[in-house]
Amino acid sequence: MTQQLSDQHERFERGLRALSTIDGEAGHKVVDSLADIAPDFARYLIEFPFGDIYSRPGLDLRAREIATIAALTAMGNATPQLKVHIQAGLNVGLSRDEISEIIMQMAVYAGFPAALNGLFAAKEVFAARAAAGQDAPA
């Protein structure tokens, strides 16, 4: 039982480190917003996606964010999560142009409406970051 608790704690700590690196403040806001309604789910968000999946070897964070932005764009119904991951993509080294290209590529596989929605989400993220002085306007 003690080993299991230790493993869970390490998984959580690894997840927190990854969350901070990838999503920064935006990721912590998502987790914090769940504290009053589903604290266990907030913990799962840290442990599984960030502690287990994002922390795996095999792909760097940049490649993982490319895949995530593409998937969320293709879903077409995950705009809040897409915005968080567009910010994450910028945090891990993707350029605005690369993010726009990733989203435009999804027009082929998910259709123009999904790509349009993704581009508008990116536009909002880029504008908010520029207004906050985080990025120079394109």
Side-chain angles (χ1 to χ4, degrees):
M1 183 70 163
T2 303
Q3 181 61 40
Q4 184 180 8
L5 289 175
S6 176
D7 290 346
Q8 281 183 316
H9 179 73
E10 193 219 297
R11 190 175 170 221
F12 183 82
E13 291 300 316
R14 185 175 59 239
L16 274 179
R17 286 189 304 274
L19 177 70
S20 293
T21 299
I22 298 162
D23 288 338
E25 185 180 329
H28 285 283
K29 283 182 180 178
V30 170
V31 172
D32 292 345
S33 72
L34 294 168
D36 62 341
I37 188 168
D40 287 344
F41 194 77
R43 190 182 79 249
Y44 300 151
L45 270 176
I46 293 168
E47 290 174 348
F48 179 63
F50 293 96
D52 292 341
I53 301 300
Y54 271 94
S55 298
R56 290 176 53 81
L59 291 176
D60 63 14
L61 294 178
R62 197 173 179 285
R64 290 185 188 281
E65 284 306 324
I66 290 170
T68 303
I69 291 167
L72 291 170
T73 298
M75 287 175 67
N77 62 356
T79 301
Q81 294 79 18
L82 176 58
K83 287 179 181 180
V84 168
H85 284 282
I86 289 169
Q87 288 190 60
L90 293 166
N91 291 345
V92 300
L94 292 173
S95 71
R96 288 174 168 208
D97 288 343
E98 288 172 318
I99 289 169
S100 294
E101 287 295 326
I102 293 162
I103 293 169
M104 289 189 324
Q105 178 74 20
M106 292 304 99
V108 177
Y109 299 97
F112 274 79
L116 280 169
N117 290 342
L119 288 168
F120 287 131
K123 184 177 181 176
E124 287 181 37
V125 170
F126 299 160
R129 285 177 68 108
Q134 292 175 315
D135 292 327

